[in-house]
């Protein structure tokens, strides 16, 4: 099943603060128009990116998808075009097994960098990225994979996983 969820309140307290009021402000991503491919991802934090700064924004979100799908996170076109603000890694890749992992429940974040010469201010609720679900293919002669994700970001590099 393909869907977005809020992280649990317990995870929220670990990643943010003990604030039910802020937790209740988490907005699940939606498409802005009938033919939009991407779901808008909103900030849950107020921050200023000074020229040259890169900043991580917590979203309070996790994403579930089907076995043959991936969720890609892209920068919003308008941020790069108007303000010279982009994702630091160009494209974020969220795999199916990131959802509900034991480290962080699959809480995904967005890291932006300001390539411009002016401060860029982000408020709670501002659209900071966009995500698209896509199907992917694997090779036909792939050996059986038995490794499973046991952690969050970067965990596939640890211990042969």
């Amino acid at each position: 099943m393909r869907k977005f969820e809020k992280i649990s309140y317990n995870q929220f307290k670990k990643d943010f603060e003990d604030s039910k009021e802020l937790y209740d402000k988490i907005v699940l991503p939606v498409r802005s128009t009938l033919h939009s491919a991407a779901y808008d991802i909103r900030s849950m934090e107020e921050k200023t990116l000074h020229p040259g700064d890169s900043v991580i924004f917590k979203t309070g979100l996790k994403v579930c998808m089907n076995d043959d799908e991936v969720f890609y996170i892209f920068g919003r076109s308008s941020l790069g075009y108007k303000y010279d603000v982009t994702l630091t890694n160009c494209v974020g890749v969220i795999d199916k097994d990131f959802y509900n992992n034991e480290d962080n429940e699959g809480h995904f974040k967005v890291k932006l960098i300001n390539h411009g010469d002016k401060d860029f201010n982000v408020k709670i609720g501002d659209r900071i990225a966009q995500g698209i679900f896509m199907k992917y293919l694997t090779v036909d002669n792939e050996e059986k994979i038995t490794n499973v994700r046991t952690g969050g970001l970067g965990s596939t590099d640890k211990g042969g996983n």
Side-chain angles (χ1 to χ4, degrees):
M1 175 187 289
R2 192 178 308 115
K3 64 181 179 176
F4 296 100
E5 297 175 6
K6 290 182 178 185
I7 57 175
S8 71
Y9 189 64
N10 283 336
Q11 185 67 45
F12 182 85
K13 289 189 293 187
K14 289 179 197 173
D15 293 349
F16 287 90
E17 59 187 80
D18 190 355
S19 170
K20 189 78 167 100
E21 181 180 344
L22 183 59
Y23 182 75
D24 290 341
K25 290 183 180 180
I26 297 172
V27 176
L28 297 181
V30 295
R31 295 179 312 128
S32 295
T33 66
L34 176 64
H35 296 290
S36 294
Y39 289 81
D40 291 327
I41 299 166
R42 297 178 181 273
S43 175
M44 287 303 302
E45 302 178 281
E46 290 195 13
K47 295 185 178 185
T48 298
L49 281 84
H50 303 291
D53 281 356
S54 62
V55 177
I56 296 172
F57 289 86
K58 299 171 219 157
T59 64
L61 300 168
K62 56 186 176 177
V63 61
C64 179
M65 66 204 82
N66 298 314
D67 287 346
D68 60 347
E69 295 176 341
V70 62
F71 185 67
Y72 289 120
I73 300 174
F74 299 97
R76 293 189 68 233
S77 302
S78 62
L79 295 186
Y81 188 79
K82 293 179 182 178
Y83 307 106
D84 289 327
V85 173
T86 63
L87 293 181
T88 56
N89 57 341
C90 299
V91 177
V93 177
I94 309 293
D95 298 311
K96 176 189 172 46
D97 59 358
F98 193 67
Y99 175 74
N100 278 344
N101 74 73
E102 61 189 47
D103 281 354
N104 66 5
E105 289 186 10
H107 181 197
F108 67 85
K109 301 169 180 101
V110 173
K111 189 173 183 183
L112 299 178
I113 186 167
N114 184 350
H115 297 286
D117 57 4
K118 296 178 184 146
D119 285 352
F120 181 73
N121 298 305
V122 177
K123 296 180 179 70
I124 293 173
D126 284 354
R127 296 176 296 166
I128 56 170
Q130 56 188 341
I132 298 177
F133 291 95
M134 290 189 196
K135 290 195 173 282
Y136 65 87
L137 302 172
T138 57
V139 297
D140 293 330
N141 63 343
E142 185 171 70
E143 291 186 27
K144 183 175 181 176
I145 298 172
T146 58
N147 293 336
V148 295
R149 180 184 296 273
T150 58
L153 184 66
S155 66
T156 56
D157 290 334
K158 297 175 187 164
N161 288 332

